[in-house]
């Protein structure tokens, strides 16, 4: 599992290649790693978070004081599995796990 860091984002292609080379199952903090060939992503649904931010900005622009707005945390999460990556590292993903995924990349 990688941590959220600019250095990791900048080197995501290399990190994914190394994980495949050494047959390491890895779960990433950004879905772009899975797009590069990584195995899994689990994290907040950023589109949902951006919609919430837009709502807050709208309320602030209409006069609500930021201190009067409640602090919120992510409530919607995404789980993405890359079956091609699983095959490359020799892992079989159980059906039960695939059924829970929001998106499965063939």
């Amino acid at each position: 599992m990688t941590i959220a860091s600019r250095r990791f984002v900048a080197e995501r292609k290399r990190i994914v290649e190394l994980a495949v080379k050494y047959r390491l199952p890895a779960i990433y903090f950004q879905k772009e790693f899975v797009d590069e060939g990584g195995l899994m992503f689990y994290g907040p649904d950023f589109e949902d978070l951006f919609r919430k931010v837009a709502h807050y900005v709208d309320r602030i622009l209409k006069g609500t004081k930021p201190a009067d707005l409640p602090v919120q945390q992510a409530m919607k999460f995404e789980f993405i599995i890359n079956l091609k990556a699983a095959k490359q590292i020799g892992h079989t993903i159980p059906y039960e796990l695939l059924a829970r995924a929001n998106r499965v990349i063939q």
Side-chain angles (χ1 to χ4, degrees):
M1 182 168 197
T2 58
I3 59 170
S5 163
R6 282 186 285 164
R7 179 174 288 173
F8 284 125
V9 172
E11 296 292 334
R12 69 178 174 256
K13 185 172 179 63
R14 185 170 172 227
I15 290 168
V16 168
E17 288 171 353
L18 288 170
V20 170
K21 178 180 177 181
Y22 292 104
R23 300 175 60 141
L24 298 172
I27 186 164
Y28 300 97
F29 64 93
Q30 271 188 329
K31 56 180 127 183
E32 288 79 10
F33 281 84
V34 177
D35 295 335
E36 289 285 347
L39 182 61
M40 290 185 223
F41 160 75
Y42 179 74
D45 179 342
F46 289 106
E47 289 178 19
D48 184 57
L49 289 177
F50 294 148
R51 268 190 294 281
K52 288 180 181 180
V53 168
H55 178 69
Y56 269 45
V57 169
D58 179 59
R59 289 179 64 186
I60 291 167
L61 292 175
K62 289 180 179 174
T64 303
K65 294 180 185 175
D68 294 338
L69 296 171
V71 175
Q72 294 187 5
Q73 64 182 27
M75 298 298 287
K76 190 174 178 186
F77 292 84
E78 290 183 288
F79 181 40
I80 302 171
I81 300 173
N82 186 334
L83 288 179
K84 182 180 174 186
K87 186 177 179 180
Q88 285 179 319
I89 63 174
H91 283 284
T92 302
I93 306 294
Y95 173 77
E96 293 81 8
L97 198 58
L98 291 172
R100 291 180 170 258
N102 298 87
R103 190 172 92 193
V104 177
I105 298 171
Q106 301 290 330

